Amino acid sequence: QQQVKQSPQSLIVQKGGISIINCAYENTAFDYFPWYQQFPGKGPALLIAIRPDVSEKKEGRFTISFNKSAKQFSLHIMDSQPGDSATYFCAASIGNNRLAFGKGNQVVVIP
Amino acid sequence: DTGVSQDPRHKITKRGQNVTFRCDPISEHNRLYWYRQTLGQGPEFLTYFQNEAQLEKSRLLSDRFSAERPKGSFSTLEIQRTEQGDSAMYLCASSLFYGQSSYEQYFGPGTRLTVT
C-alpha cells in the first residue's frame, strides 16, 4: 500500500516558470515531510522539509505548502531552470525515522 | 568529501552468488539507513541502525539479506543467493539522532546491483 502518493507523474515547464508537485499521505501520525531531488545515477538529495506545525516553508526558489486537514503537501519551484530537470520525491515519516517515499515526479524544464 | 559514501558503485553478479555492499556514513551521524530503489520507483526502506544496534527491519528484507554495523561506524549489506529480482539501486543514508530528535537523512550515491 502506497502511503504517500504524488501527482502529476511528469511535468514539463518553461524556463522561468513555476513547477508544482503535489503529494498526499494517509497516515495522520506522520510528522516530518521532506522533498528530495534525484538526478539519474545519483542518490536522492534533500531539498527542503517541513513539519506539520507550519503551513509553509521557503528556502531560496523552493517552497513547501502544507495542508494538514487535507493531508496534502506540495513543492513549488519558482523561476524553474534547466538544471532543475530531475526526479522529485516526496516522503513522510514519524519522527524522521524510516522514510516512506512517493513514486516520484519527473520534471523537465525546457529553455 | 564528508558525505555518505558507498562501495562499490556498480556490481554485476550471477544469480545465486553472494554480494556485499559497504556504506560509510557522515562521520558524526549515529543513525544509518538502507533503502532499495527499483527503476521508476521511490526508495523503499530496508533497515536502520542506531550506533551498532539494528532497530528496525522491513518485511521486505528477506532472510537472504543481512546488515551489520559492528562498530557503529560503517555498515555492510549482504545479499546471499542473489535473484534477478534483487536487481536495484541500494541506497544508504545517515542522520544524527540527538536527545529525542532525529535529524535529516542524507543519502549516498548508491550501489547499482545487476543480477544476470
Side-chain angles (χ1 to χ4, degrees), chain A residues 2 32 36 38 41-46 49 51 57 87 89 93 95-104, chain B residues 9 31 33 35 37 40-45 48 56 89 91 95 97 102-110:
Chain A
Q2 193 79 24
Y32 176 73
Y36 283 83
Q38 187 175 33
K42 306 290 185 183
L46 179 65
R51 297 192 185 272
K57 183 176 180 180
T87 301
F89 293 95
S93 72
N96 197 6
N97 293 311
R98 58 180 166 89
L99 292 168
F101 282 85
K103 288 188 174 183
Chain B
R9 296 291 311 278
R31 281 198 170 176
Y33 304 78
Y35 292 83
Q37 185 178 24
Q41 301 294 316
E44 291 178 306
F45 170 79
Y48 87 95
E56 188 176 354
M89 175 81 88
L91 293 162
S95 72
F97 183 83
S102 184
Y103 294 85
E104 293 78 10
Q105 294 182 34
Y106 294 92
F107 282 80

Side-chain angles (χ1 to χ4, degrees), chain B residues 57-66 79-80 83 86:
Chain B
K57 290 196 297 186
S58 166
R59 283 171 289 179
L60 292 175
L61 209 62
S62 79
D63 291 344
R64 297 184 296 105
F65 287 69
S66 62
I79 308 174
Q80 295 183 326
E83 302 173 356
D86 297 331

Side-chain angles (χ1 to χ4, degrees), chain A residues 77-98:
Chain A
I77 307 173
M78 315 301 283
D79 187 26
S80 297
Q81 300 296 314
D84 296 331
S85 297
T87 301
Y88 292 83
F89 293 95
C90 63
S93 72
I94 302 169
N96 197 6
N97 293 311
R98 58 180 166 89

Side-chain angles (χ1 to χ4, degrees), chain A residues 8-15 17-21 80 85-86 105-111:
Chain A
Q9 274 194 319
S10 61
L11 187 63
I12 299 174
V13 180
Q14 291 274 357
K15 179 183 174 182
I18 302 174
S19 304
I20 302 174
I21 309 167
S80 297
S85 297
N105 297 88
Q106 186 171 14
V107 173
V108 176
V109 182
I110 53 177

Side-chain angles (χ1 to χ4, degrees), chain A residues 43-61:
Chain A
L46 179 65
L47 267 181
I48 187 171
I50 198 167
R51 297 192 185 272
D53 52 347
V54 297
S55 60
E56 188 173 282
K57 183 176 180 180
K58 183 176 181 179
E59 288 184 4
R61 296 186 295 110

